[in-house]
Amino acid sequence: MPQDAVLVIGASGQIGSELTLELRKHYTTVVAADLKNPIPEVADSGPFLRLDVLNRSGLADCISRYRINQIYHLAAILSATGEKNPELAWRVNMKGLRNVLDCSLQMNVQKLFWPSTIAVFGPNSPKQRTPQWTVMEPNTIYGISKLAGERWCDYYFQKKNLDVRSLRYPGLISYKAPGGGGTTDYAIDIFFEAVRHRRFTCFLKADTRLPMMYMPDAIRATLLLMEAPADRITVRSSYNIAAIDFTPAEIAEAIRKHIADFVIDYQPDFRQQIAESWPESIDDSVARRDWGWMPSYNLEALTTDMLAHIAA
Ligand code: NAD
Ligand code: SER
């Protein structure tokens, strides 16, 4: 097992919970850090530290204490929560990232992962198979902060030689930890409501198509990117990655194949406007070419797996 000491910031969140558990299979020391308590599996399987990423000296102490040489910085305020509190979203998403970039540089952290998002695209970007490089005019504070974050990551690589790597995750679907306040969270909640109540009220319209991915694919993509030789990484802002895309009506239909009496209705709210500003599908050919990315879950496989785990 590699002797690297890894720090996951935002380890109690939807992605952090599963990423921490996976990293602990690969590395001897994986420190989970967050403002809030971790899920029991994370708490029971290794060190947990309460850390505010906005507290730079606390972050530096943690890196020094555990001799951290790889960081996965996931802490952020997501799209829907960000629109309710833009100041907080800007502070956490920007200042948090700057703290991590600066500490990584000063304390010789060898590799840094930071996730971006499909929200970096905006209403003027192409909607279908949105390319790696295109018009990017996000109109949510979340998207604006993530696009600025991408430029900071590229800058730290180009000017300071920091090995920072990034993926533009689509909406991620999982069952271990709840969604963190995103616009794509309906595609998580729908499964829990289908199993519990056989009915779901969706906050997006029936035909709102968005790019999505099942969590095991997202975790695999993250590790694949981080383990790729540095000379295979041609994009230091953030890579497009894709798996599937669907509408609320289509996912409801997929669930109905397992739960025949499942009923969905629609009450679109402010998140409809956010969703409509994002791509419907993503072109991830650069990630496929550079480090061999290939998704494995389609809508049917994801639906079967989600329902089985939630029912259990
Ligand atoms: P989440 O909200 O579930 O988790 C984020 C975690 O960060 C939370 O546990 C929260 O307590 C923690 N956090 C917030 N502020 C903090 C602070 N100041 N200091 C320390 N911890 C703090 O979000 P997630 O879905 O797990 O997303 C993780 C990352 O992936 C984010 O950067 C997000 O933008 C990105 N991303 C997520 C998705 C998705 O669909 N989940 C899609 C694209 C990108
Ligand atoms: N899933 C995220 C959100 O909806 C996209 O980054 O905010």
Side-chain angles (χ1 to χ4, degrees):
M1 223 184 225
Q3 294 306 303
D4 302 60
V6 179
L7 172 63
V8 183
I9 306 168
S12 305
Q14 189 202 355
I15 303 173
S17 301
E18 301 207 27
L19 185 61
T20 302
L21 294 174
E22 187 60 32
L23 287 167
R24 284 182 175 158
K25 296 179 192 162
H26 296 257
Y27 296 99
T28 43
T29 306
V30 178
V31 181
D34 202 298
L35 284 176
K36 68 178 191 196
N37 288 336
I39 60 168
E41 277 174 277
V42 169
D44 295 344
S45 58
F48 171 76
L49 194 75
R50 205 164 299 279
L51 175 78
D52 184 345
V53 74
L54 299 178
N55 173 0
R56 186 154 154 186
S57 63
L59 174 62
D61 285 349
C62 168
I63 295 172
S64 144
R65 182 165 140 208
Y66 290 98
R67 298 173 189 274
I68 296 296
N69 60 4
Q70 269 197 48
I71 298 182
Y72 291 74
H73 170 42
L74 308 174
I77 305 297
L78 272 67
S79 59
T81 312
E83 287 313 286
K84 290 183 185 155
N85 195 340
E87 282 304 324
L88 177 70
W90 183 254
R91 194 151 31 91
V92 173
N93 297 3
M94 275 294 86
K95 181 74 184 149
L97 174 60
R98 290 295 313 282
N99 281 350
V100 175
L101 286 166
D102 284 337
C103 284
S104 298
L105 198 64
Q106 282 157 18
M107 304 182 74
N108 295 320
V109 171
Q110 279 158 20
K111 267 192 217 170
L112 168 61
F113 176 80
W114 169 83
S116 186
T117 161
I118 53 165
V120 292
F121 299 110
N124 298 323
S125 308
K127 282 252 171 243
Q128 278 91 29
R129 288 191 58 75
T130 307
Q132 176 70 45
W133 295 282
T134 186
V135 173
M136 298 172 89
E137 295 177 343
N139 61 8
T140 60
I141 197 67
Y142 175 64
I144 294 168
S145 66
K146 287 288 184 173
L147 182 54
E150 287 191 7
R151 300 319 312 153
W152 275 112
C153 289
D154 191 61
Y155 184 88
Y156 270 70
F157 172 74
Q158 304 294 346
K159 303 277 161 96
K160 299 169 193 285
N161 213 18
L162 183 67
D163 188 352
V164 48
R165 305 177 182 204
S166 177
L167 298 173
R168 290 174 184 151
Y169 290 133
L172 299 184
I173 299 166
S174 65
Y175 56 87
K176 279 203 175 160
T183 303
T184 56
D185 286 4
Y186 90 84
I188 303 170
D189 301 342
I190 193 170
F191 286 104
F192 285 90
E193 293 303 304
V195 171
R196 282 179 195 141
H197 303 118
R198 285 165 159 56
R199 114 174 341 269
F200 178 64
T201 299
C202 185
F203 58 72
L204 298 182
K205 291 183 191 163
D207 61 352
T208 312
R209 182 170 300 281
L210 286 169
M212 300 277 187
M213 182 179 284
Y214 198 31
M215 188 63 83
D217 270 343
I219 301 293
R220 198 167 47 77
T222 307
L223 297 190
L224 208 56
L225 174 72
M226 288 299 274
E227 285 159 10
D231 61 3
R232 303 293 307 171
I233 313 294
T234 64
V235 175
R236 292 294 182 158
S237 51
S238 192
Y239 277 100
N240 278 7
I241 52 162
I244 43 180
D245 54 85
F246 55 75
T247 66
E250 287 167 358
I251 192 174
E253 196 46 47
I255 291 173
R256 234 175 262 119
K257 289 185 183 141
H258 300 259
I259 303 173
D261 57 349
F262 174 61
V263 176
I264 185 167
D265 61 10
Y266 302 93
Q267 285 177 21
D269 64 17
F270 72 102
R271 289 168 282 195
Q272 181 65 35
Q273 209 183 349
I274 299 178
E276 282 174 10
S277 75
W278 290 352
E280 293 186 348
S281 62
I282 296 286
D283 174 357
D284 61 357
S285 50
V286 180
R288 289 178 188 230
R289 179 200 69 194
D290 282 3
W291 41 275
W293 164 243
M294 187 67 80
S296 44
Y297 282 87
N298 61 18
L299 179 57
E300 287 67 38
L302 170 165
T303 303
T304 305
D305 204 60
M306 279 291 284
L307 290 173
H309 279 102
I310 293 169

